[in-house]
Amino acid sequence: MKNKVLTTTIATGLMAAGVLTTQNPANAKADTVPTGGNTSTNEVATQESDAKTIAQNNVNTAQTNLDKTKADTQSADDSLQQAKANEAAAQKAVDEQANKVSDAQSNVDKAQNNVNTAQNELTTAQENAKNATETNIQAAKDNVATQEQNVVTAQDQSKQANNAVTEQTSKVSDAQQAVDQAKNNTFVAQINVNEAQKAVDGAKAAMDPANVQATVDAANKAEAQVNKDKQDVAKAQTDLDNAIAADATRQTNIDNAQKTVDTTKSNVDFSTKQAQEMEDQLNKYQGIKDAAQKEVDDLNDKLANVNTITINDVKAYKKAFNDWYTGSKRGVNWTEEDKNFLNDFMSSNTYKGNAADKDIVVDINHLTADQIKELSLFSADLLNQVRNQLGLPKVIVTEGSLKLAKDVTDNYVSDNWDKYDHDVEGISRAAKENGLLTGGNFYEDAIFSSAFSEKSTMDDLKNILFTGIVSMIGGYGDEMLHAAGLLGVNFGDDINTGKEQYFSAGTSMFPIKEDQMWVTKMGHFFNVSKDYINDSAKFSTTEVPGTSTEDLVTQLNTAKAKLSSAIDAFNKAKDANTQAQQILAKNKAELTTAQDNLTKAQNVPVQTETAQKSLTDAQNKLAADTKINEDAQAKQKAALGDETAKQKVLDQANANLATAQKALTDAQAKQKAAENNLSAEKAKLASLQQVANEKTQDVKAAQVALDDAKNKLAALENAPLLVKAAEDKLAAAQKALDPVENVLVSEKAKLSALKQDLTDAQADVATAQKNYDEKLAIQTKAQTDLDNTKKVLQAIYDREALEAQIAAQEKAREEAEKKAAEEKAQAEKNGYHVDGNKVVDENGNQVSNWTVKNGQIIDNKGKVVSGLTINKAGAVVNEAGQQINSKNVVDNLQAKRTQAPVGQSKVAGKTYVSTVVVPEKAEVNTLPQTGEKESKTTLVGAILVGLGSLVGLFGLGRKKEY
């Protein structure tokens, strides 16, 4: 039954995983469970084994499928990335060409503006030439003379006007001084009148008897004020002393605050210098990082434009190569798979054009040494790419191999070669001249390419050589003979036996005479094995330096490492700069705080100056009030003196007042006259200034008219020369316009072509993206399938683990039950134990007065019997864990009977009462009884062992209490 439940659970798990497994009929039959019967152990094991095998096979199949889809996805991604790189290159080319078009358009616009300007100047010159008659020229001369006189006249008038302004300015200044003096005189006269009026008022007051007392009171008041002023002076002196002390404290605070400012400013200056150094260092490492990034970018750009030949499946290529060479006949073992692979190889490797090479026109039959070197290094790099992928030694371009290439191609030309074949005789001559083995074509592989133009460029030749290597390496049929030559493999050898060779390349062009005359280009490849050198003095093996694709990759890796280091240094410099800037900001904040504290200290008011002023004011007031007091005392004396003298004083005061008033009237009249004169002089100055400005403008206008008259005269007098100069200028401008317009047309045409290339590249990206998305979707599905099959397999393993766990648990349960049964049997045999809710002895007799409830022993009064517990085997044990029984109860009872009254048996301070109910026919040892005759039961006072095995006495009786 358990197996059946487990199987149902696992089946549910498989359905939840959503995986369908295909099983063969035999397995399906083995998994069928007969209705109404039990599946045998062998049948279940067979089912489980078959299910696991099928699940594992499904996982393996799904994994294989996923690996294949990943490879397909990676290949699609590689194609996509290449398409994107091509698109980026095309976009870059379009952008660069668009800039060139923009520059060309700007040049055209400038040239057109120059043409327009020259045309306008010519039109003006021609118009002047028509008007260049003697009459007009003389009139122009007369006009120049008139304008010159006008300029002189205007200049004289302007000078006179400015002189008048200067003179009048001086008069205004004098008038202003007169006004200022008159105002001062009026002010003084008014003061004199005021003082004279006070003297009259004082004299009159002295004549009035009613004022005598007032005069006396004023004298008293003046004297009292003097006394008060003396007290104020004393207080002001004290305040001054306190102010001086306060200002000293203020200055101390200012000095301390200034020291803090100086310290923090020094910190700011230092941290500013540090921050600048860190910023300079950051800029330095920024430059290093940028330079390293540029180096990486440049190398990436170079690698993006490098022509490459890639063998997608080296194993498949080696198979195709060896299938051709093995056997008695060439290609006897060749399969369609081989041919399809090689076709894919040739179609997937295409030449990348080079814009710079397209501008280099060459003489294909007379290549320079540098051109042969460039083509040889280009071809050697391509060939070494293939050799590296196949694990073969590289070819080396040497000075000797370059000379061989030039000599052979020269022989093709000198022999007027016109056959679609090798010039073996020319090759042999060149081999002999270069100290090499002769007797046949041991060195050259050639590619023929038809063409219809002799204007070959370096790009054309590289295209021929690239195509030649690809077609020879990957072309089935007799092309494999060329592949063997290029790879350094002898006919019949395994491809892994290639050898290092000296390599070079060249080209030539000649007519092929067949049905009709047509021109072909021929690319030559030369491989020289070391064992073919007869005379090392004639063949130099000195390697010609060059940069290969592998070198670029190495340089790129080095540049990337430098960039990584530069980035790390830059980041460290950036962190240092950040810290320096933070320190600077902190120090600036501290300086600001210090400056604020200094400002607060400085803003504390200076008290000394105010206190000194208060003291001075008090002293001045004392002096003034002292004089007032003296006058008051004199007036008091006069008020109390002779009346005749008083009248005489009043008369003199009135006379003095009249004189002062007349002087004030005169001064006011003179001030008014001076002010009127100043206004008149200012008005006259303004008028003269306006005239002077007008005369200055007249001079400028006369000069302009003179310049214009001179220009017109010069234009008339030099009309023929100006016309010629304008014509020359126009012709030059038009001549300069034509080439820049041609350049613009050319650049626009190139831009149009590049845009088409970009459109094609974008289409390729779209196609590659679609292919990648499809492959990725397939991969995703394959991954999902693999995950699901793994879930099925894992479910089987989980089921096995669960079965093992259940079996282990079942075994443990059985052993535990067995052990518990043994312990229970032992407990039943050894003494008091529990049977249901009863307590029985080792003989199976029930102990009366005791029952079991909730795992505890309860007496007949419903109380828990203390000192006793029930262990897991059901045995009744004391506090020491010892099981009690009838024997130890009886022994202890007999031993202790005489020591305690019946009914007071205690163990550990407590008394326990129990009755063993014996079956009627059972033979038992009965204890002495009291109070009952012919009892069928025996009352046993069980003295239980407590801690330390102390056993008390049980009292015998039919009815006991505690």
Side-chain angles (χ1 to χ4, degrees), residues 228-282:
K228 181 180 182 302
D229 288 345
K230 288 179 179 179
Q231 294 176 356
D232 291 343
V233 168
K235 181 180 183 302
Q237 182 63 56
T238 301
D239 291 343
L240 175 60
D241 294 339
N242 293 335
I244 291 173
D247 286 348
T249 301
R250 171 182 177 276
Q251 188 60 49
T252 299
N253 293 337
I254 290 175
D255 293 341
N256 292 336
Q258 184 64 56
K259 289 180 182 178
T260 304
V261 168
D262 294 341
T263 300
T264 54
K265 187 176 185 303
S266 176
N267 292 340
V268 168
D269 292 341
F270 177 77
S271 55
T272 298
K273 181 181 178 183
Q274 288 291 99
Q276 185 60 52
E277 290 177 356
M278 292 301 99
E279 186 174 355
D280 293 342
Q281 179 174 277
L282 177 62

Side-chain angles (χ1 to χ4, degrees), residues 38-182:
N38 293 325
T39 304
S40 68
T41 302
N42 290 336
E43 286 177 335
V44 172
T46 300
Q47 294 170 12
E48 293 178 349
S49 176
D50 290 346
K52 186 193 296 185
T53 300
I54 293 171
Q56 185 62 61
N57 290 339
N58 289 343
V59 169
N60 295 341
T61 301
Q63 183 65 59
T64 301
N65 185 43
L66 176 60
D67 293 340
K68 182 178 183 303
T69 59
K70 283 184 176 179
D72 293 343
T73 303
Q74 183 60 51
S75 177
D77 184 53
D78 292 342
S79 299
L80 174 59
Q81 298 308 318
Q82 183 60 53
K84 287 183 176 180
N86 294 341
E87 180 189 16
Q91 184 64 61
K92 181 180 179 183
V94 167
D95 295 340
E96 291 175 350
Q97 188 61 31
N99 290 334
K100 291 181 180 179
V101 170
S102 178
D103 292 341
Q105 184 64 60
S106 177
N107 292 335
V108 168
D109 294 340
K110 291 178 182 178
Q112 186 61 58
N113 288 336
N114 292 338
V115 169
N116 295 339
T117 300
Q119 183 64 59
N120 293 335
E121 291 178 357
L122 176 59
T123 300
T124 301
Q126 290 172 339
E127 187 66 27
N128 287 334
K130 292 179 183 179
N131 296 327
T133 63
E134 293 183 4
T135 301
N136 289 339
I137 291 174
Q138 185 59 49
K141 289 180 179 180
D142 294 341
N143 187 40
V144 169
T146 300
Q147 296 304 326
E148 287 176 343
Q149 185 59 47
N150 290 341
V151 169
V152 172
T153 300
Q155 288 174 339
D156 290 341
Q157 292 176 352
S158 177
K159 183 178 181 181
Q160 293 173 7
N162 283 306
N163 289 340
V165 169
T166 300
E167 182 179 352
Q168 187 61 29
T169 300
S170 178
K171 291 180 180 181
V172 170
S173 178
D174 293 341
Q176 183 64 56
Q177 290 179 2
V179 169
D180 294 340
Q181 184 61 46

Side-chain angles (χ1 to χ4, degrees), residues 449-581:
S449 174
S450 61
F452 304 97
S453 171
E454 295 185 1
K455 293 183 179 180
S456 297
T457 65
M458 185 62 76
D459 186 64
D460 295 331
L461 303 192
K462 289 182 180 179
N463 192 353
I464 293 172
L465 297 177
F466 179 92
T467 304
I469 291 177
V470 171
S471 60
M472 290 178 183
I473 294 295
Y476 53 84
D478 287 341
E479 290 300 318
M480 279 295 169
L481 293 172
H482 292 291
L486 292 177
L487 300 177
V489 179
N490 291 328
F491 178 71
D493 286 348
D494 185 89
I495 196 172
N496 296 316
T497 61
K499 50 190 165 184
E500 180 183 89
Q501 294 174 315
Y502 305 119
F503 178 83
S504 59
T507 62
S508 60
M509 181 171 65
F510 43 85
I512 297 296
K513 296 178 180 178
E514 292 184 354
D515 295 341
Q516 56 182 344
M517 182 71 69
W518 58 289
V519 177
T520 186
K521 296 176 184 176
M522 185 173 183
H524 308 273
F525 304 102
F526 303 98
N527 275 305
V528 178
S529 300
K530 294 180 180 180
D531 51 357
Y532 281 8
I533 302 175
N534 289 333
D535 188 351
S536 59
K538 293 183 178 180
F539 188 87
S540 174
T541 58
T542 301
E543 185 174 357
V544 175
T547 302
S548 65
T549 301
E550 185 177 7
D551 293 335
L552 289 176
V553 172
T554 300
Q555 292 174 14
L556 176 60
N557 291 334
T558 301
K560 286 181 177 179
K562 286 169 58 181
L563 175 59
S564 178
S565 298
I567 291 174
D568 182 61
F570 170 76
N571 289 335
K572 290 179 180 177
K574 185 177 181 181
D575 292 340
N577 180 61
T578 299
Q579 292 177 2
Q581 298 300 334

